[in-house]
Amino acid sequence: MSRETDEVRDAIAGELRLMDPDVRTSRSRARQLLDPDFVEVGASGRRWTYEDMLAALPEMDGAEEDGPRFEPSDMTGVLLASGLVHLTYETVIGGNRARRSSLWRRRSASATWQMYYHQATPIPPEAT
Protein backbone atom coordinates (compact mmCIF):
# COMPACT_ATOMS: atom_id res chain seq x y z
CA MET A 1 0.00 0.00 0.00
CA SER A 2 1.37 3.44 -0.88
CA ARG A 3 2.25 6.08 1.68
CA GLU A 4 -0.45 8.34 0.23
CA THR A 5 -3.08 5.69 0.86
CA ASP A 6 -1.83 5.20 4.43
CA GLU A 7 -1.93 8.95 5.09
CA VAL A 8 -5.46 9.31 3.77
CA ARG A 9 -6.57 6.26 5.71
CA ASP A 10 -5.06 7.69 8.93
CA ALA A 11 -6.87 11.00 8.40
CA ILE A 12 -10.17 9.18 7.78
CA ALA A 13 -9.66 7.18 10.97
CA GLY A 14 -9.16 10.44 12.90
CA GLU A 15 -12.27 11.97 11.34
CA LEU A 16 -14.35 8.96 12.36
CA ARG A 17 -12.95 9.05 15.92
CA LEU A 18 -14.10 12.68 16.22
CA MET A 19 -17.66 11.47 15.56
CA ASP A 20 -17.47 8.97 18.47
CA PRO A 21 -19.42 10.09 21.59
CA ASP A 22 -16.57 8.87 23.82
CA VAL A 23 -14.19 11.26 22.05
CA ARG A 24 -16.67 14.14 21.82
CA THR A 25 -17.24 14.07 25.59
CA SER A 26 -13.53 13.78 26.49
CA ARG A 27 -11.53 16.99 26.27
CA SER A 28 -8.26 15.03 26.46
CA ARG A 29 -9.22 12.65 23.61
CA ALA A 30 -10.51 15.48 21.43
CA ARG A 31 -7.35 17.51 22.14
CA GLN A 32 -5.27 14.67 20.64
CA LEU A 33 -7.23 14.92 17.37
CA LEU A 34 -7.51 18.70 17.00
CA ASP A 35 -4.55 20.78 15.88
CA PRO A 36 -3.79 23.71 18.24
CA ASP A 37 -4.39 26.03 15.23
CA PHE A 38 -7.77 24.37 14.51
CA VAL A 39 -10.58 26.47 12.98
CA GLU A 40 -14.06 25.38 11.91
CA VAL A 41 -16.79 27.08 9.97
CA GLY A 42 -19.86 25.21 11.16
CA ALA A 43 -23.09 24.49 9.34
CA SER A 44 -24.57 27.47 11.21
CA GLY A 45 -21.89 29.75 9.76
CA ARG A 46 -20.26 30.20 13.16
CA ARG A 47 -16.46 30.27 13.31
CA TRP A 48 -15.04 27.96 15.98
CA THR A 49 -11.51 28.08 17.39
CA TYR A 50 -9.61 25.25 19.05
CA GLU A 51 -10.62 26.33 22.57
CA ASP A 52 -14.23 27.07 21.50
CA MET A 53 -14.55 23.58 20.05
CA LEU A 54 -12.97 21.77 23.00
CA ALA A 55 -15.36 23.58 25.36
CA ALA A 56 -18.50 22.98 23.27
CA LEU A 57 -17.90 19.50 21.83
CA PRO A 58 -19.42 17.57 24.79
CA GLU A 59 -22.72 19.44 24.26
CA MET A 60 -22.83 19.22 20.47
CA ASP A 61 -24.72 16.78 18.26
CA GLY A 62 -23.33 13.27 18.37
CA ALA A 63 -21.98 13.50 21.92
CA GLU A 64 -24.68 11.49 23.72
CA GLU A 65 -24.28 7.70 23.80
CA ASP A 66 -28.03 7.20 23.38
CA GLY A 67 -28.59 10.23 21.12
CA PRO A 68 -28.38 10.64 17.36
CA ARG A 69 -25.10 9.59 15.76
CA PHE A 70 -23.28 10.88 12.73
CA GLU A 71 -23.84 8.74 9.66
CA PRO A 72 -20.96 9.55 7.30
CA SER A 73 -20.98 8.55 3.63
CA ASP A 74 -18.83 8.90 0.52
CA MET A 75 -15.71 9.84 2.52
CA THR A 76 -12.72 10.36 0.26
CA GLY A 77 -9.33 11.92 0.75
CA VAL A 78 -6.48 13.39 -1.23
CA LEU A 79 -2.89 13.96 -0.16
CA LEU A 80 -2.31 17.65 -0.97
CA ALA A 81 1.29 17.77 0.24
CA SER A 82 3.50 15.85 2.60
CA GLY A 83 1.68 15.91 5.94
CA LEU A 84 -1.54 17.47 4.58
CA VAL A 85 -4.70 15.52 3.68
CA HIS A 86 -8.03 16.92 2.44
CA LEU A 87 -11.16 14.87 3.23
CA THR A 88 -14.66 15.36 1.81
CA TYR A 89 -17.85 13.52 2.71
CA GLU A 90 -21.50 13.86 3.70
CA THR A 91 -23.19 13.25 7.04
CA VAL A 92 -26.68 12.79 8.36
CA ILE A 93 -27.44 13.36 12.03
CA GLY A 94 -30.90 13.72 13.44
CA GLY A 95 -32.29 13.98 9.90
CA ASN A 96 -30.00 16.92 9.02
CA ARG A 97 -27.63 16.46 6.08
CA ALA A 98 -24.36 18.31 5.52
CA ARG A 99 -21.45 18.27 3.11
CA ARG A 100 -18.16 18.36 4.98
CA SER A 101 -14.56 19.19 4.20
CA SER A 102 -11.58 18.76 6.53
CA LEU A 103 -7.86 19.38 6.37
CA TRP A 104 -5.70 17.05 8.45
CA ARG A 105 -2.05 17.73 9.07
CA ARG A 106 0.88 15.97 10.61
CA ARG A 107 3.71 18.27 11.65
CA SER A 108 6.41 15.58 11.50
CA ALA A 109 6.74 11.95 10.49
CA SER A 110 6.51 10.87 14.15
CA ALA A 111 3.54 13.11 15.01
CA THR A 112 -0.11 12.10 14.96
CA TRP A 113 -2.61 13.38 12.42
CA GLN A 114 -4.72 16.28 13.69
CA MET A 115 -7.66 18.15 12.19
CA TYR A 116 -6.49 21.62 11.18
CA TYR A 117 -9.64 22.93 9.47
CA HIS A 118 -13.24 21.79 9.08
CA GLN A 119 -16.23 23.20 7.24
CA ALA A 120 -19.81 21.94 7.19
CA THR A 121 -22.40 23.13 4.67
CA PRO A 122 -26.04 22.21 5.27
CA ILE A 123 -27.85 20.37 2.48
CA PRO A 124 -31.44 21.59 2.17
CA PRO A 125 -34.08 18.81 2.31
CA GLU A 126 -35.13 19.53 -1.29
CA ALA A 127 -31.56 19.11 -2.67
CA THR A 128 -30.74 15.86 -4.40
Side-chain angles (χ1 to χ4, degrees):
M1 187 169 278
S2 74
R3 181 167 185 234
E4 177 178 331
T5 301
D6 290 343
E7 290 177 333
V8 169
R9 187 178 58 226
D10 289 347
I12 289 172
E15 190 86 34
L16 294 173
R17 281 193 306 272
L18 277 171
M19 293 180 202
D20 185 320
D22 290 336
V23 172
R24 297 176 81 76
T25 56
S26 169
R27 188 175 174 103
S28 64
R29 288 182 187 154
R31 184 183 301 276
Q32 293 171 4
L33 293 169
L34 295 179
D35 187 283
D37 296 325
F38 172 81
V39 173
E40 175 174 327
V41 178
S44 67
R46 177 179 173 177
R47 182 182 186 275
W48 298 83
T49 65
Y50 174 77
E51 289 299 329
D52 293 338
M53 185 57 68
L54 287 175
L57 203 54
E59 305 300 320
M60 297 177 87
D61 287 343
E64 295 180 27
E65 274 296 327
D66 58 350
R69 297 280 185 100
F70 283 97
E71 299 172 34
S73 63
D74 301 322
M75 193 174 291
T76 61
V78 175
L79 181 67
L80 297 177
S82 179
L84 186 64
V85 170
H86 179 221
L87 301 180
T88 58
Y89 61 103
E90 290 187 12
T91 59
V92 176
I93 185 164
N96 297 313
R97 294 176 52 214
R99 289 193 177 95
R100 297 180 180 272
S101 176
S102 298
L103 291 175
W104 285 78
R105 74 177 177 182
R106 186 172 63 179
R107 295 178 186 241
S108 70
S110 62
T112 60
W113 285 94
Q114 294 180 309
M115 183 185 283
Y116 172 74
Y117 179 80
H118 184 78
Q119 182 162 354
T121 304
I123 302 172
E126 65 276 1
T128 58

